[in-house]
Amino acid sequence: PHPDDVAEVTALVDDARRGVLVAGWGAGLTAESVHRVARAAGWPVLADAASGRRAGPTAVSTYDPLLRSSEFAASMVPDMVIHVGAPLTNKPASRWLDGVPRVIVDPDGAWLDPNRSAGRRVAADPDLLLRAVTDDICWRGPRAPWLERWLEAESVARRTVDGLLDSWDEPFEGRVVRDVARALPEGAAIVVGSSMPVRDAESFVAPREGVRWLCNRGVNGIDGFVSTVLGVARVHGDGAVVGLLGDLTLLHDVGGLLWATDHGLDATLVVLDNEGGGIFSFLPQAGLPEHFETLFGTPHGLDLAAVASAYGVPAVRVATAEEVVPAVDEAVDAGGVRIVIVPTDRAANVARHREVWAAVASAIAR
């Protein structure tokens, strides 16, 4: 980083008492740099799970459900944001950041700011920049009042989210993503699919280290997802490789399974089978039943285990939430390419999400 950029960002951090460090996917930061600057500045870290930097004592993993509370969001508006990597996945946090003085650290010369709301871009390696800034800023200690408020909210929200998810026996997509991410062994790679899986990862995954997060994002996020997982398995090494995806994402690239059996690959696909495009059930179009299923729901009506079998890929279908992690563990231990199918209901999935949001808002308002 240019010395002038280091001096400018350092001055901005020093002036801000209510700052936030945001990490989106592709952030390109080491855990050490994240923790050092957050502790020194007394800032929370809002890291999308897909960034791979949701860990450590300053991580706020529940910012998505927290910021869906209008009262909490209004009371916790920062006066400075350093944003590294892509925009956060869900809309509440992105809307909350609009209008806040924000520096995007962008080593690739792209402008990862679709709302055009950032005030400054620094073209520099984010890791080197934050290390230099940390060396120069005024130390505020690891438990500054602003950070303390965020961590207290995180504690309340985390207990609320986990308590609700653990109480539901039927498979809920948010719990599936949380449980799989939590249970994977050190050194694993998680390839998270577009639409709902990457959004549920942001909403529900708890802080943890030791896993590598990968995802396809952008205009064609579901294209070639199965092939992407198998490509990751080809180069990842000894660690487990698990893909989290929806049923339509599987079917969109089901031909990728042709490559699964003859190349000595080890990968497990956890498929959330909700008979269609679950993300669209959150939109107003879901209130138009005479057109919704045809145009948006797009149910496939297929037995996904039979589809997998046609490609020579073993598949197992679970019935309860408690069966998911043991089924994934068994698939990983068995080796080869295998599929774990988790049936969910689109309407119930929307209701469960909204129940979590309401419970978090109620808990933090007490």
Side-chain angles (χ1 to χ4, degrees):
H2 193 280
D4 290 347
D5 291 330
V6 174
E8 180 180 0
V9 175
T10 300
L12 290 170
V13 174
D14 275 337
D15 289 343
R17 290 298 180 266
R18 293 165 57 99
V20 171
L21 177 62
V22 172
W25 63 271
L29 286 169
T30 64
E32 179 187 4
S33 294
V34 172
H35 301 335
R36 285 186 69 230
V37 73
R39 286 169 59 86
W43 288 11
V45 177
L46 309 189
D48 198 325
S51 73
R53 288 296 164 255
R54 180 177 287 188
T58 57
V60 177
S61 65
T62 55
Y63 65 82
D64 177 68
L66 282 168
L67 293 173
R68 292 177 187 271
S69 164
S70 57
E71 292 183 4
F72 180 86
S75 69
M76 300 296 284
V77 175
D79 49 31
M80 179 65 204
V81 173
I82 294 179
H83 193 141
V84 182
L88 296 174
T89 300
N90 287 308
K91 288 184 178 179
S94 294
R95 286 197 297 258
W96 177 73
L97 291 171
D98 281 349
V100 176
R102 186 154 54 106
V103 175
I104 292 180
V105 184
D106 175 17
D108 298 319
W111 193 278
L112 298 177
D113 180 26
N115 294 334
R116 298 297 186 263
S117 60
R120 178 78 166 86
R121 182 185 68 175
V122 177
D125 181 293
D127 215 50
L128 296 178
L129 176 69
L130 290 187
R131 288 184 187 183
V133 168
T134 305
D135 291 338
D136 292 344
I137 61 175
C138 297
W139 177 266
R140 295 184 195 140
R143 305 288 285 189
W146 166 249
L147 176 59
E148 185 76 31
R149 290 176 63 189
W150 273 102
L151 296 181
E152 288 174 355
E154 159 77 355
S155 178
V156 171
R158 190 76 255 169
R159 287 197 306 270
T160 302
V161 170
D162 290 340
L164 264 181
L165 268 56
D166 291 340
S167 72
W168 296 331
D169 191 46
E170 73 280 10
F172 165 58
E173 295 182 15
R175 177 175 176 177
V176 172
V177 174
R178 182 205 65 172
D179 288 357
V180 171
R182 181 170 59 187
L184 288 180
E186 295 283 315
I190 302 176
V191 191
V192 61
S194 294
S195 296
M196 287 309 299
V198 71
R199 287 169 170 79
D200 284 337
E202 183 181 33
S203 296
F204 298 107
V205 168
R208 72 154 297 179
E209 295 180 298
V211 296
R212 182 183 183 192
W213 286 83
L214 298 156
C215 59
N216 292 341
R217 300 293 291 142
V219 175
N220 52 343
I222 72 169
D223 288 355
F225 182 83
V226 173
S227 301
T228 297
V229 175
L230 299 180
V232 171
R234 181 70 177 261
V235 300
H236 183 62
D238 295 333
V241 174
V242 172
L244 293 166
L245 65 156
D247 48 1
L248 297 186
T249 300
L250 171 70
L251 294 172
H252 200 65
D253 188 31
V254 70
L257 292 177
L258 288 169
W259 206 57
T261 57
D262 298 330
H263 292 79
L265 303 177
D266 296 321
T268 298
L269 299 173
V270 181
V271 180
L272 298 158
D273 184 7
N274 56 30
E275 267 291 315
I279 192 171
F280 298 111
S281 295
F282 288 83
L283 302 179
Q285 294 93 309
L288 303 171
E290 65 274 24
H291 303 298
F292 179 76
E293 286 299 297
T294 300
L295 299 177
F296 297 96
T298 61
H300 52 77
L302 299 173
D303 179 346
L304 297 184
V307 172
S309 179
Y311 287 88
V313 175
V316 62
R317 191 174 182 91
V318 303
T320 68
E322 293 291 341
E323 295 175 25
V324 173
V325 168
V328 173
D329 288 343
E330 184 176 341
V332 170
D333 291 341
V337 177
R338 296 173 179 270
I339 294 178
V340 176
I341 302 167
V342 185
T344 66
D345 178 85
R346 279 185 268 132
N349 187 54
V350 174
R352 292 300 196 196
H353 277 82
R354 291 174 176 163
E355 190 172 345
V356 171
W357 302 337
V360 170
S362 175
I364 62 173
R366 293 171 190 161

